[in-house]
């Protein structure tokens, strides 16, 4: 398992190029299941999650090729088997996006329920209710969802839930409804740019979709999608863009970010400007000039067009060094604060009360060993480490590799001192039996080491 060793305190300077969006690429790859003529995707980032989605599709007898960097070719023939196993789904929640296209085109899908997640309770009830409204027969058994339908039929679907609209749920239902008989209206649909990108892809494939990017999406079902290959270029990653904006500010550096999707980051950039950040855009290049200490700011992470939950942790790292007190809540994942305790290890003054984190800005952070617990939390720790005095070691950076292509390489090119090293296994402590452990018993329950580390493919965090 890799870890990062970072020598902090160096301003980042230069130009950084964004990769394609992870959260647009994953449903786009799943959409390949629905297109008989195949799909050519461009600008797909080289990430662990993309690899997992490739493995998932391959395990369904789908042909997946990656002929050159950024390109993924997908051909799902008649022999596609619609089974997504626990082994793969547990590694990545976005695997659930195969349900809709499988059901729409092949009329059957068996997909493992994703299970637990580090950023909060993440049910898929809205996905399943929506598919049931489209006429699918849904059964849950042995940890799997089995869905069947001779032909889906258009329906009125309301995705309103207590935590806002569901992003992958909206993707799933668009991919199913596009092949249903009749018209579908999805109310309270997610409005994220990744939904708009998927709608654009499906439209190229012959789907009839309007309203993507608003909370009401209308779909006129078609008999089948394109039988010639569809070519689609994935949008740039807005979360990667936001992470680099914060990297420039937190290290008091100067960064240039060409082709940043500004219109997808409006609320986030407004918050930073309110904090006093010097950010401008000239000729399509976002320019970030760090230097002065920023002011505190309170915010709630919300569904698009609000400040994204996927930038909440990185903003917390920045606010930890800002002047004054900030309060952060996350309306999408109310418990997504596991990074707070790790930031405290670097010297931040953060307390979590229920679903609010209170951040009292400090003047300096100091290097320390910390542990990454999910993708965006890892990014927040890297940002804090880049700004901290001294050396920080961040363990379990496989989380980071799921969502940022070559983050360490890009940071190094900007002047950071980041080393990726093979983590040495933690010294194993003697196994101390619990007090009730009976050494004479014939088949004792094995005691568990307190420091046992889960492997990269454990169920602990799936995005
Ligand atoms: N929810 C339900 N029922 C459902 C589905 C969702 O109650 O059936 C709740 C969730 O528990 C959560 C809220 O609705 O409280 C929003 O969840 P959503 O379904 O929108 O999340 P997602 O689609 O599983 C995507 C991204 C996440 C991102 C969220 C929110 C992908 C692959 N993942 O997840 O990305 O945080 O939307 O914007 O698109 C990341 O990239 O780090 C990441 C976690």
């Amino acid at each position: 398992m890799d870890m990062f060793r970072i020598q902090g305190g160096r301003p980042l300077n230069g130009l950084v190029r964004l990769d394609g969006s992870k959260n647009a690429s994953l449903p786009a790859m799943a959409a390949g299941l629905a297109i008989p003529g195949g799909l050519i995707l461009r600008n797909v980032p080289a990430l662990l999650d993309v690899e997992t989605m490739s493995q998932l599709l391959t395990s369904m007898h789908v042909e997946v090729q990656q002929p050159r960097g950024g390109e993924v070719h997908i051909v799902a023939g008649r022999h596609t088997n619609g089974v997504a196993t626990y082994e793969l789904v547990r590694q990545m929640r976005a695997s659930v996006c195969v349900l809709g296209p499988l059901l729409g085109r092949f009329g059957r899908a068996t997909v493992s329920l994703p299970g637990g997640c580090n950023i909060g309770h993440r049910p898929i009830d809205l996905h399943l209710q929506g598919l049931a409204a489209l006429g699918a027969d849904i059964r849950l058994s042995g940890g799997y969802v089995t869905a069947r339908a001779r032909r889906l039929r258009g329906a009125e679907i309301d995705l309103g839930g207590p935590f806002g609209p569901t992003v992958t749920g909206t993707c799933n239902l668009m991919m199913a409804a596009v092949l249903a008989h009749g018209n579908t209206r999805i109310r309270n649909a997610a409005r994220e740019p990744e939904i708009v990108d998927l709608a654009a892809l499906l439209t190229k494939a012959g789907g009839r979709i309007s309203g993507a990017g608003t909370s009401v999406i209308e779909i006129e079902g078609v008999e089948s999608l394109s039988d010639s290959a569809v070519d689609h270029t994935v949008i740039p990653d807005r979360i990667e863009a936001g992470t680099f904006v914060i990297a420039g500010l937190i290290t008091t550096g100067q960064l240039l970010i060409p082709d940043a999707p500004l219109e997808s980051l409006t609320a986030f950039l407004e918050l930073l400007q309110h904090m006093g950040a010097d950010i401008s855009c000239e000729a399509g290049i976002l320019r970030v000039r760090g230097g002065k200490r920023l002011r505190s700011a309170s915010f709630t992470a919300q569904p698009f067009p609000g400040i994204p939950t996927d930038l909440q942790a990185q903003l917390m790292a920045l606010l930890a060094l800002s002047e004054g007190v900030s309060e952060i809540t996350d309306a999408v994942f109310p418990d997504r604060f596991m990074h707070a305790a790790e930031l405290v290890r670097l010297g931040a003054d953060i307390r979590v009360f229920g679903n609010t984190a209170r951040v009292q800005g400090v003047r300096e952070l100091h290097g320390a060993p910390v542990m990454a617990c999910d993708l965006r939390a890892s990014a927040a720790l890297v940002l804090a480490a880049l700004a901290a005095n001294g050396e920080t070691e961040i363990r379990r950076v496989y989380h980071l590799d799921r969502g940022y292509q070559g983050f360490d390489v890009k940071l190094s090119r900007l002047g950071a001192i980041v080393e990726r090293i093979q983590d040495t296994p933690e010294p194993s402590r003697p196994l101390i039996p619990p007090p009730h452990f009976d050494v004479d018993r014939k088949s004792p329950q094995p005691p568990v080491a307190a420091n046992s580390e889960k492997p990269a493919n454990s169920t602990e965090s799936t995005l």
Side-chain angles (χ1 to χ4, degrees):
M1 220 177 278
D2 288 356
M3 73 171 188
F4 280 0
R5 184 172 292 149
I6 298 179
Q7 310 296 335
R10 292 168 64 93
L12 299 193
N13 290 304
L15 182 146
V16 60
R17 292 201 186 277
L18 301 175
D19 286 300
S21 160
K22 166 181 84 78
N23 289 347
S25 297
L26 299 175
M29 290 175 75
L33 288 164
I35 306 172
L39 177 63
I40 298 168
L41 286 173
R42 302 179 195 275
N43 203 29
V44 177
L47 301 172
L48 212 50
D49 276 9
V50 166
E51 197 43 50
T52 306
M53 184 58 95
S54 301
Q55 280 176 26
L56 178 63
L57 294 175
T58 307
S59 75
M60 294 178 181
H61 302 162
V62 173
E63 211 181 294
V64 182
Q65 288 178 353
Q66 303 189 26
R68 53 193 78 84
E71 239 176 82
V72 180
H73 297 195
I74 298 167
V75 182
R78 277 185 298 118
H79 299 296
T80 300
N81 105 30
V83 180
T85 62
Y86 177 59
E87 185 50 33
L88 288 161
V89 177
R90 73 187 176 125
Q91 293 178 39
M92 185 184 70
R93 298 186 74 82
S95 309
V96 81
C97 285
V98 301
L99 251 176
L102 282 174
L103 205 49
R105 178 168 166 212
F106 298 102
R108 62 189 155 74
T110 300
V111 176
S112 168
L113 286 165
C117 178
N118 264 1
I119 66 176
H121 179 53
R122 298 176 70 184
I124 58 162
D125 54 327
L126 295 169
H127 301 231
L128 301 184
Q129 282 166 25
L131 294 173
L134 291 170
D137 173 35
I138 309 265
R139 291 171 198 226
L140 301 183
S141 165
Y144 279 78
V145 181
T146 300
R148 284 177 193 279
R150 203 168 287 238
R151 171 106 197 258
L152 296 173
R153 49 173 197 274
E156 292 276 333
I157 299 171
D158 191 334
L159 285 181
F163 301 109
T166 159
V167 177
T168 48
T170 304
C171 292
N172 235 336
L173 294 168
M174 274 196 328
M175 291 188 278
V178 84
L179 285 164
H181 175 72
N183 297 341
T184 296
R185 180 178 294 132
I186 308 177
R187 294 187 191 279
N188 285 308
R191 292 188 279 165
E192 271 64 6
E194 294 75 23
I195 306 283
V196 179
D197 198 42
L198 179 63
L201 185 167
L202 292 171
T203 304
K204 281 181 203 163
R208 297 188 188 146
I209 303 174
S210 61
T214 75
S215 54
V216 182
I217 300 179
E218 314 246 13
I219 300 162
E220 189 187 330
V222 296
E223 196 72 36
S224 94
L225 293 178
S226 174
D227 46 19
S228 55
V230 171
D231 197 316
H232 183 75
T233 301
V234 171
I235 53 174
D237 197 312
R238 63 191 169 108
I239 305 301
E240 188 193 20
T243 304
F244 275 106
V245 168
I246 296 177
L249 295 172
I250 204 167
T251 64
T252 68
Q254 300 211 1
L255 294 187
L256 297 173
I257 312 176
D259 304 320
L262 295 183
E263 61 299 338
S264 303
L265 288 167
T266 309
F268 166 78
L269 293 174
E270 280 173 7
L271 180 87
L272 293 176
Q273 278 165 341
H274 171 74
M275 290 167 65
D278 183 351
I279 299 172
S280 58
C281 185
E282 289 153 38
I285 301 179
L286 188 65
R287 180 186 289 270
V288 182
R289 291 191 191 86
K292 59 182 176 197
R293 192 171 183 212
L294 300 179
R295 294 184 288 275
S296 61
S298 295
F299 74 93
T300 299
Q302 284 175 331
F304 192 81
I307 295 169
T309 174
D310 292 342
L311 285 170
Q312 181 257 105
Q314 300 90 315
L315 280 167
M316 187 184 285
L318 183 63
L319 289 169
L321 280 165
S322 304
E323 166 103 58
V325 178
S326 309
E327 289 199 347
I328 303 175
T329 47
D330 193 320
V332 181
F333 295 113
D335 302 322
R336 194 178 195 176
F337 288 131
M338 282 179 72
H339 41 280
E342 297 298 310
L343 289 172
V344 168
R345 289 181 53 73
L346 296 173
D349 183 350
I350 304 171
R351 298 193 65 182
V352 178
F353 303 94
N355 64 357
T356 301
R358 185 177 179 282
V359 185
Q360 167 72 63
V362 295
R363 285 208 161 265
E364 287 178 345
L365 296 175
H366 303 279
V370 289
M371 189 87 85
C373 57
D374 80 61
L375 164 56
R376 308 305 170 186
S378 322
L381 293 177
V382 171
L383 294 172
L386 290 170
N389 294 325
E391 180 177 290
T392 297
E393 285 181 349
I394 305 176
R395 291 196 157 70
R396 300 188 182 180
V397 293
Y398 65 84
H399 289 294
L400 206 59
D401 296 334
R402 300 186 54 184
Y404 293 89
Q405 178 177 327
F407 199 39
D408 47 335
V409 176
K410 287 187 180 183
L411 291 171
S412 301
R413 284 193 194 128
L414 297 172
I417 303 185
V418 184
E419 231 183 317
R420 180 187 283 266
I421 40 186
Q422 187 78 38
D423 193 357
T424 47
E426 292 168 28
S428 57
R429 294 185 205 144
L431 299 179
I432 303 164
H436 61 272
F437 188 75
D438 175 1
V439 285
D440 292 333
R441 226 165 38 200
K442 285 272 183 295
S443 316
Q445 291 292 312
V448 177
N451 62 345
S452 64
E453 217 179 33
K454 292 181 182 171
N457 63 357
S458 79
T459 57
E460 69 178 343
S461 180
T462 51
L463 302 177

